[in-house]
Amino acid sequence: MSIRGINHVTLVVRDMDRTVRLLVQALGAREEYRSREREYSKYPETFLRIGDLWLVVMEDADTRRARSYDHIALSIDLEAIPEVTRHLIDAGAEVVPSRPRIDAESASVYFYDFDNHLFELHAGDIAQRLRHYAAAKQGA
């Protein structure tokens, strides 16, 4: 197959500066580019890097998004969760309780940005989860 991975994720928000500040202050995102007008895209935009992720934040003051469980999950080291959670709260994000988890899933912290985009910072990976599911199936 020719798909190699996610190229970028784009979020449309009402206040680009506020959302960019949240992602920079709380998650350590690096700003790579900011359009000053609608030169190349549908809306003014900022390109951020969070780890290997290229995240685009576009501004449309009229956008409205209902809450859902659709989310972007970012990998995080388990020991970094308490500090990052404090940064999220300090930056004004709404940190919400995680769903009940089994130990094999590791830990997560969930938060909404100012436009109801849900993010998950997750310390586990697919390999450990699949190992647990396979072991549980054999034990059933």
Side-chain angles (χ1 to χ4, degrees), residues 39-85:
E39 302 173 33
Y40 305 112
S41 208
K42 183 172 178 151
Y43 302 109
E45 63 189 349
T46 299
F47 294 172
L48 301 169
R49 289 206 191 263
I50 301 176
D52 292 332
L53 173 65
W54 171 16
L55 181 64
V56 180
V57 178
M58 291 184 163
E59 183 173 75
D60 175 7
D62 296 324
T63 195
R64 297 291 180 264
R65 178 178 167 81
R67 285 199 171 184
S68 78
Y69 191 67
D70 293 344
H71 62 280
I72 299 169
L74 305 173
S75 295
I76 189 169
D77 293 328
L78 181 63
E79 59 274 3
I81 288 178
E83 178 182 4
V84 172
T85 301

Side-chain angles (χ1 to χ4, degrees), residues 7-31:
N7 183 276
H8 66 278
V9 173
T10 299
L11 303 176
V12 179
V13 302
R14 288 174 290 176
D15 184 336
M16 184 170 60
D17 291 335
R18 185 178 187 202
T19 299
V20 167
R21 230 179 356 266
L22 166 69
L23 298 171
V24 168
Q25 290 175 358
L27 302 184
R30 291 184 331 271
E31 187 174 318

Side-chain angles (χ1 to χ4, degrees), residues 99 101-107 122-136:
R99 65 175 173 75
R101 296 186 171 277
I102 57 173
D103 289 342
E105 291 180 301
S106 195
H122 185 64
D125 63 35
I126 190 172
Q128 72 188 99
R129 185 145 343 159
L130 291 175
R131 280 192 305 272
H132 172 78
Y133 292 171

Side-chain angles (χ1 to χ4, degrees), residues 101-116:
R101 296 186 171 277
I102 57 173
D103 289 342
E105 291 180 301
S106 195
S108 286
V109 61
Y110 291 86
F111 71 94
Y112 284 100
D113 72 0
F114 310 114
D115 294 277
N116 291 326

